[in-house]
Amino acid sequence: MNIVVLEGYVNNPGDLSWDALKRYGNVTVYDRTPREKLAARVVDADVAVSSKIAWDAEALAWAPHLKMIALTSTGFNVVDLDAARERDIVVSNVPAYSTPDVAQMTFALLLELCLHVGKHSSLVMDGAWTRAKDFSFWDTPLVELAGRTFGIVGMGSIGQAVCRIARAFGMPVVFENRSPKPQLEGDDVRQVDLGELLAVADVVSLHVPATPDTKGMMNAATLARMKDGAFLLNTARGTLVDEQAVVDALRSGKLAGFGADVVSAEPMRPDNPLLQAKGMNIVITPHIAWATHEARERLLATVAANVGAFVERKPQNVVD
């Protein structure tokens, strides 16, 4: 088979290997594939390995031999699944490979918002501590997490990992999920509806996929329902948040802080409203929660396993 890796650099900038795919066919790796080069690169492809490329009906038509799209991601909203089904193209994804890493990033963002470790380290390195009159100084208010209520929107594998960390910090947890999960309640963890979660949570953390129903779910109206001075975290998808509404809530003091690893359009555009919030209590990282070496190793291994399972006529991690 002809296997074409279309966006190889972001998953493997040189510290890992695509060799596991070679047992299944001829492998060609491209660092990046802009839309205008896609047709030429997939014309002979049996398997396309990609992440953010939009597989709409036009793109699928450029690949007459395509039998499989092996996504290097958990999300699959970039694929027109109806068009793929019409062509009998199998689409696979990589679930749960980054669960511990996204949970880790969730608290990295929260801790920075509460303790401003980076800012205080910069002050020290700039000599501020050497000039201090006291043994200790702080430039911003510091926030303790113990006893504050942590709200989790979406109690899948990542939400559950976040829950465990929150409990370790001594935080009661409330969670909202589209289906009941009574087995996860107990030990100061309880399921509530979104309205109650927004009303009682000191921290609201988003862990749901990007769907038409979740698009813009955190907007001016829902932000207004949050506790005054709460924190909002988004390590899921940027489209869940109305970014201008977040800036307005930060400016008014409704939100005490906002931390995100994702934005509505990536790479971040120069006109993104969040860039207006510089100097407010905001932390934005460039979609790196998934990108630890360990997580990317799991990712590439699962992609190869997905292709292997397809070759053996036992496809796995198929999305529909």
Side-chain angles (χ1 to χ4, degrees), residues 35-255:
R35 181 80 175 186
E36 62 270 18
K37 294 185 177 181
L38 182 60
R41 292 180 178 181
V42 299
V43 66
D44 294 320
D46 298 295
V47 175
V49 179
S50 68
S51 176
K52 300 299 182 185
I53 285 173
W55 288 104
D56 51 25
E58 180 183 45
L60 292 171
W62 294 335
H65 306 290
L66 195 63
K67 303 175 182 66
M68 180 188 193
I69 298 171
L71 294 171
T72 61
S73 61
T74 302
F76 49 86
N77 55 305
V78 294
V79 181
D80 183 335
L81 294 178
D82 291 333
R85 286 190 204 100
E86 289 179 7
R87 288 269 311 278
D88 291 322
I89 296 171
V90 171
V91 180
S92 68
N93 73 338
V94 185
Y97 74 96
S98 63
T99 294
D101 307 87
V102 177
Q104 178 176 299
M105 176 60 81
T106 298
F107 275 84
L109 294 170
L110 180 58
L111 291 169
E112 183 63 27
L113 292 171
C114 292
L115 297 175
H116 307 279
V117 173
K119 179 177 183 179
H120 284 96
S121 177
S122 294
L123 288 170
V124 169
M125 300 309 293
D126 288 340
W129 201 5
T130 66
R131 298 187 296 271
K133 296 179 180 179
D134 304 298
F135 78 95
S136 172
F137 80 97
W138 52 95
D139 189 65
T140 59
L142 307 177
V143 176
E144 181 179 274
L145 293 178
R148 293 176 183 261
T149 299
F150 197 103
I152 299 172
V153 182
M155 200 63 158
S157 61
I158 295 174
Q160 291 175 47
V162 168
C163 179
R164 291 190 292 270
I165 300 172
R167 292 298 299 123
F169 272 98
M171 305 180 75
V173 172
V174 292
F175 71 91
E176 186 273 342
N177 197 70
R178 62 182 178 182
S179 60
K181 291 196 172 184
Q183 72 277 16
L184 299 179
E185 295 191 90
D187 186 29
D188 232 348
V189 177
R190 61 190 182 94
Q191 184 166 3
V192 298
D193 62 28
L194 182 61
E196 182 176 351
L197 184 149
L198 295 175
V200 304
D202 298 290
V203 180
V204 174
S205 191
L206 306 179
H207 301 286
V208 293
T211 68
D213 290 336
T214 61
K215 183 177 181 180
M217 65 180 296
M218 297 308 298
N219 50 44
T222 46
L223 289 169
R225 296 167 68 186
M226 292 177 63
K227 289 180 71 174
D228 290 345
F231 296 93
L232 177 63
L233 306 173
N234 185 14
T235 54
R237 290 291 183 266
T239 54
L240 305 180
V241 171
D242 179 331
E243 292 163 334
Q244 184 60 59
V246 165
V247 174
D248 294 340
L250 286 168
R251 186 174 288 121
S252 71
K254 178 66 179 180
L255 284 179

